[in-house]
Amino acid sequence: FLGYKKIGSYGRKISEEVPIHDDALALTPAESSADEYKDLISLGESGQVEFKATFRLDLKTNRRNKDLVRPVVKTVAGFMNTQGGLLFIGVGDDGEIGGIERELDGQSNADRDRFVLSVFQSISDSIGAEFCEYVNLEFVDIDGRAVCVARVKPSAAPAWIKDESAETFYIRAGNASRPLSSRPAHDYIVRRFS
């Protein structure tokens, strides 16, 4: 399977070379162009596309807020537990491309490297280091703004989010990541991962 992937209710051509999800796909830096991503963003969020304005920067206070990391990790886990997908960091819920420049400490490659390390550390801390292999991050310039694209592959094992006192299992349901209570989570896991 190459080239076309059903995303939500839309059939969209993403790239001739890099499908969104394929069990045989080894994640490498995506070859999708900025125009292809912009077209995809214009369709809005779906079961396999999610937007987050920032990773951990509170745009109102202009300060880092660790509570903003959880929705990003929830989305990643939800993608892993279902069909995979694309998470655009630097794009608002309305599809407005705000970029992540304010979130980067500067504009150098080292600043982007620190950003990538922070994202992977959050995935490792919340889901587990063994799940980082299912995520590839890339930066793309869309309308003069830097956007981080997380290409998430479906995982081979259930991805639980660890909290201080519990673990929560998320799936993608429509254009949102939803938690499942214990019985539905068990039934889903048996169907999906057996």
Side-chain angles (χ1 to χ4, degrees), residues 55-58 61 63-69:
F55 171 58
R56 62 181 176 196
L57 179 71
D58 186 324
T61 65
R63 293 185 163 180
R64 288 184 180 166
N65 180 345
K66 65 179 183 168
D67 294 334
L68 296 177
V69 173

Side-chain angles (χ1 to χ4, degrees), residues 50 52 54-55 66-77 87 161 172 177:
E50 178 75 20
K52 297 294 179 199
T54 68
F55 171 58
K66 65 179 183 168
D67 294 334
L68 296 177
V69 173
R70 183 165 174 80
V72 171
V73 174
K74 250 177 32 177
T75 298
V76 169
L87 168 62
I161 294 184
R172 288 295 285 183
S177 298

Side-chain angles (χ1 to χ4, degrees), residues 177-189:
S177 298
R178 306 268 186 219
L180 292 182
S181 58
S182 35
R183 178 60 182 224
H186 173 270
D187 294 345
Y188 180 88
I189 289 167

Side-chain angles (χ1 to χ4, degrees), residues 64-115:
R64 288 184 180 166
N65 180 345
K66 65 179 183 168
D67 294 334
L68 296 177
V69 173
R70 183 165 174 80
V72 171
V73 174
K74 250 177 32 177
T75 298
V76 169
F79 283 154
M80 286 180 186
N81 288 326
T82 49
Q83 297 177 349
L86 294 175
L87 168 62
F88 292 88
I89 304 173
V91 178
D93 287 339
D94 59 359
E96 182 179 343
I97 299 163
I100 59 169
E101 287 82 359
R102 288 172 52 191
E103 193 151 11
L104 298 173
D105 294 329
Q107 298 301 315
S108 72
N109 284 336
D111 300 314
R112 288 183 175 195
D113 287 347
R114 280 192 290 275
F115 183 87

